[in-house]
């Protein structure tokens, strides 16, 4: 974007605002962001660049310019993170390690150290907390921030706080992040992904609909692969196709989700930013009057417990990302089985459906005196049960 005489601008190195010009008038840096709405927008999303790999590079500076892949080496491993040097050769997250090493044979492979990444994540969250009490982590390496005037802890425009945050993460934690600044969660997350690594991207209210128009419908929050194919089959492949349809038409075709599609296609999103809750898991269990061996009565108990768990999740305004099923055998041996859900949930059917296959695997004639079900890895309800209609 070109900068005219009066473009609100911000230097990403010295974090000072100014009114015009390509380079920072204070420090001369060319790392400058300019946007008409720069100092009016207050919803942000931050995401660490090549998170695991960046932490490993920080700890082994001699690898700074080398391609680094984090993942378990050997036959069946997959890539968890490829650094940006390695990505130039093709390796990506979730790619089988053998394939990544075919593409980039000179990569340095480092096994993941999740405990270390969790520590770094906590350090970053402590920096987020200095800017605002209302931030919502989505995973170890990303979070939404509410930097509106009534909420932020420092009386400066959100853009300045965000530039300071990015700088603080670099200097104090030793890795880089990319940030997005916009009017709501959907646009802020879209923005943060746009100029990685070390990006600072603004999507203004005025340009949102125009920028969304050419993008595929799968860009929208809640449109997974299955929903995207159904939308495409109905003639909606780009967001522009949705923008051209009336709200009534979309509601007639897709029900309540049609309204969400209509709004998101225009860049509107009313989801609130919800800070983390302290509770760590929600579960319910029952001890049988008489030991039970058969799947059917166990599954029936499971359904009841799932309903109780769901009720509690709704009441506490949390959702669970990982399902936990527990059984106690007649001789008091406790088994727990976990299953990572595709998305956090608050719904009894989702909990019960995920628990049943785990139960089926254990009902092999043993007698059980107790069954329990619950969820852990709690997430904010705004991330729960994305409206993937046909998924
Ligand atoms: P991402 O933020 O998706 O990826 P990233 O931080 O590595 O790279 P980017 O610069 O594109 O944001 O995920 C954060 C971390 O989560 C990542 O470093 C490793 C882990 N992860 C996996 O273990 N498996 C996966 O498939 C993905 C996508 C991530
Ligand atoms: Mg990341």
């Amino acid at each position: 974007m070109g900068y005219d005489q009066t473009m609100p601008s911000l230097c990403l190195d010295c974090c000072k605002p100014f009114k015009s010009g390509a380079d920072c008038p204070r420090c001369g840096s060319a790392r400058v962001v300019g946007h008409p709405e720069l100092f009016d927008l207050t919803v942000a999303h931050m995401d660490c660049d090549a998170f695991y790999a960046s932490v490993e590079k920080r700890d082994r500076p001699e690898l700074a310019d080398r391609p680094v892949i984090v993942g378990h080496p050997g036959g069946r491993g997959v890539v968890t993170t490829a650094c940006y040097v390695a990505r130039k050769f093709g390796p990506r997250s979730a790619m089988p390690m053998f394939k990544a090493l075919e593409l980039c044979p000179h990569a340095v492979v480092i096994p993941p150290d999740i405990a270390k990444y969790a520590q770094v994540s906590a350090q970053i969250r402590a920096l987020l907390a200095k800017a605002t009490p209302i931030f919502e982590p989505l995973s170890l390496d990303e979070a939404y921030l509410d930097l509106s005037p009534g909420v932020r802890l420092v009386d400066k425009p959100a853009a300045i706080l965000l530039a300071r945050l990015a700088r603080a993460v670099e200097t104090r934690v030793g890795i880089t992040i990319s940030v997005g600044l916009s009017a709501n969660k959907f646009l802020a997350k879209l923005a943060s992904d746009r100029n990685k690594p070390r990006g600072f991207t603004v999507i203004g209210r005025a340009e949102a609909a125009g920028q969304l128009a050419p993008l595929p419908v799968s860009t929208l929050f809640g449109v997974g692969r299955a929903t995207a194919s159904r939308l495409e089959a109905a003639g909606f492949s780009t967001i522009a196709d949705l923008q051209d349809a009336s709200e009534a038409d979309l509601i007639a075709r897709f029900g309540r989700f049609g309204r969400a599609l209509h709004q998101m296609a225009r860049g509107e999103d009313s989801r609130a930013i919800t800070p983390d809750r302290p509770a760590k898991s929600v579960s319910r269990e029952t001890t049988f009057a008489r030991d039970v061996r058969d799947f059917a009565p166990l599954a029936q108990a499971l359904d009841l417990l799932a309903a109780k768990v769901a009720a509690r999740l709704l009441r506490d305004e949390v959702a669970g990302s990982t399902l936990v099923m527990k059984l106690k055998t007649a001789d008091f041996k406790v088994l727990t089985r976990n299953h990572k859900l595709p998305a956090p949930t608050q719904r009894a059917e989702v909990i019960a459906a995920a628990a049943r296959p785990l139960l089926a695997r254990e009902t092999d004639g043993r007698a059980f005196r107790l069954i329990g079900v619950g969820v852990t890895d709690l997430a904010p309800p705004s991330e729960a049960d994305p409206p993937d209609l046909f998924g």
Side-chain angles (χ1 to χ4, degrees):
M1 165 185 298
Y3 303 105
D4 66 28
Q5 287 303 296
T6 57
M7 182 67 79
S9 299
L10 174 64
C11 174
L12 298 179
D13 283 325
C14 71
C15 302
K16 292 287 189 294
F18 56 98
K19 285 204 181 82
S20 65
D23 291 347
C24 175
R26 262 179 88 97
C27 73
S29 168
R31 289 189 68 229
V32 162
V33 57
H35 190 282
E37 299 177 43
L38 184 62
F39 297 122
D40 305 325
L41 299 165
T42 60
V43 177
H45 180 259
M46 60 77 57
D47 187 299
C48 301
D49 301 323
F51 182 49
Y52 296 0
S54 304
V55 174
E56 297 302 341
K57 284 191 165 197
R58 174 196 72 173
D59 294 347
R60 291 170 65 180
E62 73 278 11
L63 297 179
D65 301 321
R66 303 275 307 274
V68 166
I69 290 177
V70 177
H72 290 288
R76 304 195 310 125
V78 296
V79 173
T80 58
T81 322
C83 76
Y84 278 82
V85 180
R87 285 184 204 188
K88 280 190 282 191
F89 302 92
R92 293 286 183 275
S93 290
M95 183 181 279
M97 188 62 82
F98 77 87
K99 172 125 188 269
L101 289 174
E102 270 170 26
L103 294 166
C104 187
H106 53 305
V108 178
V109 177
I110 302 177
D113 179 351
I114 306 292
K116 177 160 77 172
Y117 312 141
Q119 244 171 24
V120 173
S121 178
Q123 225 184 327
I124 294 172
R125 285 180 195 179
L127 294 175
L128 301 182
K130 288 187 175 177
T132 175
I134 307 294
F135 65 89
E136 179 182 327
L138 296 178
S139 67
L140 285 183
D141 92 319
E142 58 177 316
Y144 292 111
L145 295 93
D146 183 345
L147 295 170
S148 50
V151 171
R152 62 197 181 210
L153 297 172
V154 181
D155 185 24
K156 299 266 183 211
I160 294 180
L161 299 188
L162 213 49
R164 288 183 181 177
L165 171 72
R167 188 176 62 177
V169 172
E170 285 186 20
T171 57
R172 302 201 198 164
V173 183
I175 66 169
T176 64
I177 66 172
S178 292
V179 299
L181 176 61
S182 192
N184 58 50
K185 281 179 153 182
F186 167 50
L187 295 174
K189 187 161 160 80
L190 198 67
S192 75
D193 206 34
R194 200 170 270 176
N195 291 306
K196 274 182 160 284
R198 235 185 158 208
F200 190 117
T201 306
V202 180
I203 299 180
R205 287 188 175 82
E207 74 231 10
Q211 290 192 7
L212 288 170
L215 302 176
V217 288
S218 56
T219 312
L220 300 173
F221 174 75
V223 178
R225 212 177 301 162
T227 303
S229 356
R230 286 295 292 267
L231 287 171
E232 280 156 27
F236 303 102
S237 24
T238 64
I239 296 178
D241 296 331
L242 289 169
Q243 290 173 348
D244 290 342
S246 71
E247 182 177 26
D249 179 23
L250 292 175
I251 290 173
R253 286 168 185 268
F254 307 114
R256 204 160 59 104
F257 187 48
R259 173 166 295 140
L261 286 173
H262 181 81
Q263 289 173 350
M264 261 189 301
R266 280 159 180 70
E268 295 160 18
D269 174 10
S270 56
R271 285 175 298 151
I273 297 174
T274 332
D276 254 3
R277 305 284 155 151
K280 290 203 161 51
S281 67
V282 174
S283 65
R284 290 293 179 271
E285 58 187 38
T286 185
T287 303
F288 301 116
R290 201 172 294 151
D291 295 348
V292 181
R293 291 175 194 278
D294 293 337
F295 176 79
L298 288 166
Q300 208 177 356
L302 197 81
D303 287 347
L304 274 172
L305 294 169
K308 290 184 183 173
V309 169
R312 186 55 187 235
L313 291 171
L314 283 174
R315 214 190 75 182
D316 289 356
E317 295 182 11
V318 288
S321 316
T322 299
L323 177 113
V324 183
M325 186 201 62
K326 173 176 166 188
L327 288 165
K328 196 185 280 179
T329 60
D331 53 346
F332 289 88
K333 210 178 135 210
V334 176
L335 317 170
T336 57
R337 297 290 178 262
N338 298 330
H339 177 73
K340 176 95 186 153
L341 299 168
T345 191
Q346 294 185 298
R347 291 168 52 186
E349 324 87 275
V350 175
I351 294 167
R356 276 164 177 263
L358 303 183
L359 175 63
R361 247 173 268 153
E362 304 303 328
T363 42
D364 50 7
R366 275 175 296 178
F368 296 106
R369 53 179 286 116
L370 171 150
I371 187 167
V373 70
V375 289
T376 177
D377 266 346
L378 298 186
S382 56
E383 299 307 317
D385 303 304
D388 199 335
L389 245 203
F390 314 104

